[in-house]
Amino acid sequence: MDVVEISSQRRRQLIDITRFVQEAVAGSEVSEGLCVVYVPHTTAAVTLNENADPAVGDDLLEAWAALVPAIRWRHAEGNSDAHLLSSLIGASVTVPVSEGELALGRWQAIFLVELDGPRRREVWVSCLRA
Ligand code: ZN
């Protein structure tokens, strides 16, 4: 497993980590298989989406913020919105590996989703041979 360390700059932020994951795939020497990208955090997430137009990421962040209900949160740390979105978006994605490369769609990139930054985050990348 490779550990990629990322520092976020804002409370909520999408960070394109595709190149770091591809480096981990290259280092794993897996040519055909699966790559699991996982964040060991409860206020961050990982997702696949478009990186060509940065407005897509801005729209996602605004839409996710709009999903947070105005309820009385009990968690004293005050970041239950981040915990909620972490669960909704998810802590991992799995991407096929073909010929030693991430088999992403033309418009797809892998994003770390920061939901309670700025913080130092880890992304754990595991490559499995098929
Ligand atoms: Zn918390």
Side-chain angles (χ1 to χ4, degrees), residues 72-122:
R72 187 179 67 80
W73 301 104
R74 291 163 185 81
H75 177 47
E77 200 182 9
N79 61 352
S80 289
D81 59 328
H83 289 292
L84 169 73
L85 294 177
S86 172
S87 275
L88 290 179
I89 300 164
S92 70
V93 295
T94 303
V95 180
V97 173
S98 178
E99 299 178 353
E101 305 262 335
L102 290 166
L104 290 166
R106 179 173 177 187
W107 302 107
Q108 281 184 314
I110 306 169
F111 291 94
L112 168 67
V113 187
E114 175 60 75
L115 297 163
D116 194 25
R119 294 192 196 212
R120 235 176 133 67
R121 299 295 195 178
E122 289 188 359

Side-chain angles (χ1 to χ4, degrees), residues 11-96:
R11 179 150 198 268
R12 290 183 181 148
Q13 183 180 7
L14 278 166
I15 301 171
D16 187 340
I17 59 170
T18 309
R19 72 179 192 277
F20 303 118
V21 178
Q22 181 55 56
E23 285 169 12
V25 170
S28 75
E29 299 180 354
V30 170
S31 60
E32 300 294 323
L34 294 173
C35 179
V36 178
V37 183
Y38 169 84
V39 286
H41 303 293
T42 61
T43 57
V46 63
T47 194
L48 295 166
N49 219 301
E50 176 176 330
N51 68 346
D53 180 1
V56 173
D58 293 341
D59 285 347
L60 287 175
L61 288 170
E62 187 173 347
W64 283 325
L67 292 177
V68 176
I71 64 172
R72 187 179 67 80
W73 301 104
R74 291 163 185 81
H75 177 47
E77 200 182 9
N79 61 352
S80 289
D81 59 328
H83 289 292
L84 169 73
L85 294 177
S86 172
S87 275
L88 290 179
I89 300 164
S92 70
V93 295
T94 303
V95 180

